[in-house]
Amino acid sequence: MSYRGGIDLGGTKIQAVVVDDAHTVLGQSRQPTPNSDGPNGVLTAMADAMRSAAAGAGVQPGQLAGVGVGSPGTVDSAAGTVANARNVAPDWEAPVPAAALLSEMLETPVRVGHDVSVGTEAEFRLGAGREFDSILGVFWGTGVGSGIIMDGRLWSGRGAAGEIGHMVVRRGGATCTCGRSGCLEAYAGRSAMEIRARALANRGAHTDLFRIMEKKHRTRLTSGVWADALERGDRLATRLIDRATASLAAGIASAINLLDLQAVIVGGGLGTRLGEPYVRRIAEGMIPHLFVDQRPPAVRVAALGDLGGAIGAALLVSPAGSDPATRSNDSISRTSPPPET
Ligand SMILES: [Zn+2]
């Protein structure tokens, strides 16, 4: 039996897990991302998270077969570097040798991969995409990203494929966080929705969103804040989420018209938190936009939930004696994660 580590690096939190050969989570740890201490502060926090996940599993990090990291930004897996991870640390622009530095701190081999690719591979091999050969993994959270698997292989284009969040759903539309206009992310990304909600509230629209945020001791409109507001029937929250799901439906349907993939797996902070009813709404909203509407793709909620990114990152390390390029037929079991906030 060999143990592997996985770290999911996000803009707000770092999630670390230790899994066995059957991908069962034996230890896990979560920490807030220290956004103001630069790349080194973030790497130190990642190593700490990995150490406590290992402690939970009763092992030392050095005893792990290796640690995989799913990271945002520009990831060069071969070089082991991460660049342009500004949502993690504002000054994280130049390539940082994250794999080498973490490997030194944890005394075990470390591999880095792009968070969205890692999450899509995890759903494809172990989660909601297991029965398909070609899937689109859509991660609906702070931004909107996607991973494309065609005939069993991840398609990364020239390195930047899958930027579904920047597909144009309305020409000349809302300003996106990328500076362009009309992007899907400008309507469905949590950051963009928060900016929009604030602007409307400042103009006098009634909403409980910011009161719920304060009550939960948050500084941002997290997925949990949106979910609570929707449950209470908050009109502004409902309107913005309706706009988001309609935009996701249009963007995803366009991607399907182009690639004709078998299934769409929706994950990410908002996707997993809002879950089935909202994912069903996206699926229904896709129909009018699908060219071959009598044969829509399967649309499912990501099955690995909040730990999917970290479990997927652990897949970057091949278990002893297995080929990482082939899909595992193992089923996955996981402990319940703490609720996402
Ligand atoms: Zn954009």
Side-chain angles (χ1 to χ4, degrees):
M1 183 65 89
S2 71
Y3 294 167
R4 292 164 292 132
I7 303 174
D8 181 22
L9 172 61
T12 52
K13 64 173 194 276
I14 295 163
Q15 175 77 58
V17 297
V18 167
V19 298
D20 63 13
D21 293 339
H23 314 283
T24 305
V25 176
L26 303 174
Q28 58 168 302
S29 157
R30 171 186 286 200
Q31 298 213 6
T33 308
N35 303 98
S36 52
D37 301 343
N40 283 329
V42 174
L43 291 170
T44 304
M46 289 166 75
D48 286 346
M50 195 66 247
R51 282 189 202 102
S52 45
V59 292
Q60 297 290 323
Q63 291 171 279
L64 299 170
V67 171
V69 175
S71 172
T74 308
V75 179
D76 184 334
S77 293
T81 59
V82 175
N84 304 313
R86 281 182 292 269
N87 68 327
V88 172
D91 57 343
W92 193 328
E93 283 174 25
V96 171
L101 293 170
L102 279 170
S103 176
E104 202 171 296
M105 288 188 251
L106 295 169
E107 298 175 328
T108 189
V110 175
R111 285 198 64 191
V112 292
H114 192 254
D115 55 357
V116 170
S117 309
V118 158
T120 302
E121 287 261 15
E123 288 297 329
F124 178 69
R125 288 170 60 178
L126 309 170
R130 289 176 71 203
E131 65 191 273
F132 306 105
D133 299 315
S134 299
I135 66 165
L136 179 70
V138 177
F139 295 85
W140 179 24
T142 312
V144 181
S146 77
I148 304 159
I149 289 181
M150 288 193 290
D151 294 333
R153 293 192 59 182
L154 187 77
W155 173 260
S156 31
R158 293 173 299 161
E163 291 292 353
I164 198 169
H166 305 284
M167 279 178 58
V168 178
V169 291
R170 180 177 290 187
R171 285 184 65 218
T175 304
C176 183
T177 43
C178 75
R180 295 167 187 85
S181 65
C183 300
L184 168 56
E185 192 166 300
Y187 296 94
R190 214 174 51 197
S191 296
M193 284 198 295
E194 177 167 340
I195 292 168
R196 179 80 179 158
R198 240 179 239 287
L200 291 171
N202 287 343
R203 271 189 251 156
H206 176 78
T207 179
D208 286 330
L209 274 166
F210 298 99
R211 220 163 319 185
I212 297 170
M213 178 186 88
E214 279 161 28
K215 233 173 118 186
K216 288 171 96 78
H217 306 288
R218 303 286 163 196
T219 52
R220 300 180 205 183
L221 297 183
T222 59
S223 303
V225 173
W226 284 100
D228 280 11
L230 290 174
E231 237 163 75
R232 293 186 196 188
D234 186 275
R235 294 246 299 273
L236 182 76
T238 305
R239 214 172 88 204
L240 289 174
I241 291 287
D242 283 351
R243 193 167 85 135
T245 51
S247 305
L248 282 161
I252 295 170
S254 301
I256 294 300
N257 287 343
L258 183 69
L259 300 170
D260 195 22
L261 305 166
Q262 293 166 315
V264 178
I265 313 296
V266 182
L270 273 168
T272 37
R273 182 69 192 229
L274 300 183
E276 185 60 35
Y278 289 86
V279 169
R280 203 179 317 127
R281 214 188 281 182
I282 293 170
E284 284 160 8
M286 286 167 57
I287 302 292
H289 301 293
L290 286 173
F291 183 65
V292 186
D293 59 357
Q294 68 272 31
R295 208 189 48 192
V299 180
R300 303 210 174 139
V301 186
L304 304 181
D306 226 18
L307 292 183
I311 295 168
L315 288 173
L316 292 168
V317 181
S318 51
S322 84
D323 175 0
T326 53
R327 171 150 49 171
S328 152
N329 284 318
D330 307 334
S331 66
I332 178 142
S333 52
R334 60 191 184 93
T335 53
S336 334
E340 206 233 332
T341 48

